């Protein structure tokens, strides 16, 4: 899952960016409204965390621009306690949730999980494919009672594929949702992480979970009864 943080307070932006990366998301940061729109138009975000009081282009204008053609990208507003009217306006304009500053990072993290889950109708936080389970609350992966130790990137790839289980996901789509803007040549990196991920899964089970369609992408294989 890929998140854009739009916040001009650099310290806060930095803390959020660091925290959300730790939670397994690919994260980009913007520090004003113009930069936010530039990044938004260039990339595919699952969620945008949007401060309202921003330099260059104000947060409500950014939201308006996003909602012109896009009802899918989740938007969470950050605002000061005093900005009630703006917050209400933001919700009217299609923001999905808001958080009042100052807030506890754990609350932000929990609300993000909820917002992303609504879209994918996950039940409730645990994804299951065959004997493989992925718990988004604890960011853990298990096969038959064995903990599978994954790197953040491996976890993020598996998470994205499992949310979309049964659907062939192109390399580009994985890249868009799992890597942030700092990534350079991705195809080798993706191959590398995928190889390592599959190897770790194979350690605990003979089941094949991820199918590679050469040149097209990857797919999590579902049970026939699904
Ligand atoms: Ca601000």
């Amino acid at each position: 899952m890929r998140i854009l943080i739009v916040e001009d307070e650099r310290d806060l932006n930095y803390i959020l960016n660091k925290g959300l990366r730790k939670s397994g998301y690919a994260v980009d940061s913007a520090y004003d409204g113009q930069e936010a729109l530039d990044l938004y138009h260039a990339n595919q975000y699952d969620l945008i965390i949007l401060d309202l009081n921003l330099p260059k282009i104000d947060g409500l204008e950014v939201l308006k621009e996003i909602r012109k053609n896009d009802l899918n990208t989740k938007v969470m507003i950050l605002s000061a306690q005093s900005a009630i009217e703006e917050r209400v306006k933001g919700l009217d304009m299609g923001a999905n949730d808001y958080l009042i500053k100052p807030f506890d990072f754990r609350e932000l993290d929990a609300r993000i999980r909820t917002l992303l889950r609504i879209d994918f109708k996950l039940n409730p936080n645990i994804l299951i494919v065959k004997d493989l389970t992925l718990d988004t609350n604890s960011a853990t992966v298990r096969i038959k009672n064995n903990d599978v130790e994954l790197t953040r990137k491996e976890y993020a790839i598996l998470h994205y594929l499992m949310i979309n289980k049964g659907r062939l996901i192109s390399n580009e789509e994985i890249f868009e949702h799992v890597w942030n803007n700092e990534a350079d040549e991705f195809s080798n990196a993706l191959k590398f992480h995928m190889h390592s991920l599959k190897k770790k899964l194979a350690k605990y089970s003979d089941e094949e979970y991820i199918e590679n369609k050469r040149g097209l992408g990857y797919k999590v294989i579902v049970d026939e009864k699904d």
Side-chain angles (χ1 to χ4, degrees), residues 46-111:
D46 300 288
L47 173 84
I48 297 175
I49 297 173
L50 183 63
D51 180 31
L52 289 184
N53 188 6
L54 291 169
K56 296 191 185 172
I57 302 175
D58 132 286
L60 286 178
E61 285 301 312
V62 172
L63 177 60
K64 203 164 146 190
E65 177 67 24
I66 291 170
R67 282 293 178 254
K68 262 188 196 165
N69 302 304
D70 172 5
L71 297 175
N72 292 321
T73 308
K74 304 289 179 195
V75 176
M76 182 190 286
I77 287 175
L78 298 183
S79 78
Q81 178 70 46
S82 54
I84 299 172
E85 275 180 31
E86 288 203 306
R87 204 153 62 226
V88 172
K89 236 190 218 169
L91 291 169
D92 283 344
M93 282 165 62
N96 302 89
D97 197 3
Y98 69 88
L99 208 52
I100 295 167
K101 294 188 210 174
F103 53 84
D104 188 309
F105 180 79
R106 285 167 299 179
E107 183 175 5
L108 175 73
D109 207 23
R111 296 242 204 139

Side-chain angles (χ1 to χ4, degrees), residues 15 18 43 47 49 51 54 62 84 96 122 125 146 159 169 172 174-175 179 190 194 202 205:
I15 290 167
K18 210 171 145 199
N43 303 307
L47 173 84
I49 297 173
D51 180 31
L54 291 169
V62 172
I84 299 172
N96 302 89
L122 306 186
N125 284 310
N146 299 295
H159 184 198
I169 312 290
E172 288 74 17
I174 297 173
F175 182 62
W179 266 263
L190 177 61
M194 194 62 82
S205 171

Side-chain angles (χ1 to χ4, degrees), residues 4-8 13 30-33 36 48-51 54 78:
L4 175 64
I5 303 168
V6 189
E7 170 59 74
D8 58 317
N13 196 319
Y31 302 91
D32 62 58
I48 297 175
I49 297 173
L50 183 63
D51 180 31
L54 291 169
L78 298 183

Side-chain angles (χ1 to χ4, degrees), residues 149-202:
E149 297 285 341
L150 299 180
T151 64
R152 262 182 234 166
K153 199 56 86 188
E154 289 159 4
Y155 174 85
I157 293 169
L158 184 64
H159 184 198
Y160 193 73
L161 288 176
M162 284 182 80
I163 282 171
N164 293 288
K165 66 180 179 183
R167 184 162 80 79
L168 180 67
I169 312 290
S170 70
N171 296 346
E172 288 74 17
E173 185 175 342
I174 297 173
F175 182 62
E176 276 293 339
H177 290 267
V178 174
W179 266 263
N180 66 10
N181 254 2
E182 287 153 31
D184 24 88
E185 261 310 296
F186 87 94
S187 60
N188 283 329
L190 177 61
K191 248 187 239 165
F192 169 81
H193 289 291
M194 194 62 82
H195 177 74
S196 168
L197 170 62
K198 283 180 139 188
K199 209 167 127 189
K200 288 180 182 177
L201 298 178

